[in-house]
Amino acid sequence: MNTILQRLGIFALCILLSGCPYESDIPIDSPSIPINPELLGIWKPVNNQDFFMDVTRQDEFKYHAKLFRFNPGMTTTAIAKYLSSASDSSEVYYKWGDYDAFASVVDGVTFLNIREARANSSKFLLCKIEIKSEGMVVLSAVSNQIAERFSSGDSLRAFIAENMKNSFFFQRHELSLINETRIVELGE
């Protein structure tokens, strides 16, 4: 049953990223960029209110994200209440997945190296992340049109640097996320 839920988690992340993105056997590099506090909090897709991610600090360089699916129309206040309580909530369908992520910078562009947060998880999803404004980010997943496999972070980094400006490199659809934590803090 756990394996089924983990697969659903990957499937859910793929839905959020608008298709199945490229999966790399290796990350771009090792975690070495300190976390950005602006990326912590409750994030909801701008155009889909059924999902949200709770992004927390795992350590100095890594993020941890829990992906949830909520009842349609669930309010920000209800999400915040759920997150602040230790008890389960009947408002949650189920947790779709746990992910670990860390940032890498290639030619001034920030990418997230994302993978399932389990001991034997080995595939990485690679997403460009852009902070558009305070409390809003856009994720662009690397396209599954890429067939190349890499044996080192250096070769993956060189490939990204050479190709990230090409139209085939990213999925067609971007995922815009808004930080709901800031809205709760501001009382909106």
Side-chain angles (χ1 to χ4, degrees):
M1 182 67 168
N2 237 2
T3 302
I4 292 171
L5 288 177
Q6 289 169 345
R7 292 290 168 216
L8 283 174
I10 287 290
F11 177 69
L13 192 60
C14 287
I15 289 171
L16 287 176
L17 294 173
S18 301
C20 286
Y22 175 75
E23 290 185 336
S24 176
D25 296 324
I26 58 170
I28 297 169
D29 54 22
S30 298
S32 62
I33 298 173
I35 63 161
N36 180 345
E38 286 186 63
L39 299 180
L40 303 177
I42 303 166
W43 292 89
K44 287 177 69 175
V46 171
N47 296 326
N48 185 338
Q49 300 304 310
D50 295 349
F51 297 94
F52 93 90
M53 286 184 284
D54 179 19
V55 179
T56 57
R57 178 182 195 261
Q58 183 175 334
D59 63 30
E60 184 180 355
F61 305 112
K62 294 183 197 170
Y63 304 90
H64 182 75
K66 293 178 185 173
L67 179 64
F68 293 89
R69 177 164 185 200
F70 280 106
N71 286 325
M74 187 170 181
T75 66
T76 301
T77 304
I79 291 171
K81 182 179 176 184
Y82 169 76
L83 287 174
S84 65
S85 73
S87 62
D88 288 332
S89 172
S90 61
E91 295 174 293
V92 179
Y93 286 156
Y94 48 86
K95 183 169 66 174
W96 278 39
D98 281 313
Y99 300 92
D100 293 327
F102 61 92
S104 296
V105 177
V106 178
D107 288 352
V109 177
T110 303
F111 286 82
L112 291 177
N113 302 268
I114 305 168
R115 72 173 172 184
E116 281 187 271
R118 56 187 172 98
N120 59 352
S121 178
S122 61
K123 300 286 185 183
F124 288 86
L125 302 176
L126 305 175
C127 294
K128 176 175 73 171
I129 183 167
E130 298 174 272
I131 298 175
K132 291 294 188 179
S133 63
E134 185 175 339
M136 184 172 187
V137 298
V138 175
L139 294 177
S140 303
V142 172
S143 173
N144 65 352
Q145 298 296 315
I146 296 168
E148 287 84 347
R149 291 287 172 219
F150 302 93
S151 58
S152 74
D154 289 340
S155 61
L156 175 57
R157 176 182 290 283
F159 180 83
I160 291 170
E162 184 177 323
N163 291 286
M164 69 179 158
K165 292 187 178 163
N166 294 329
S167 61
F168 69 85
F169 193 75
F170 294 105
Q171 299 280 77
R172 281 189 261 242
H173 302 286
E174 298 174 330
L175 177 63
S176 296
L177 299 163
I178 188 164
N179 190 322
E180 293 285 325
T181 308
R182 294 198 192 288
I183 292 172
V184 170
E185 288 171 354
L186 297 173
E188 294 177 17

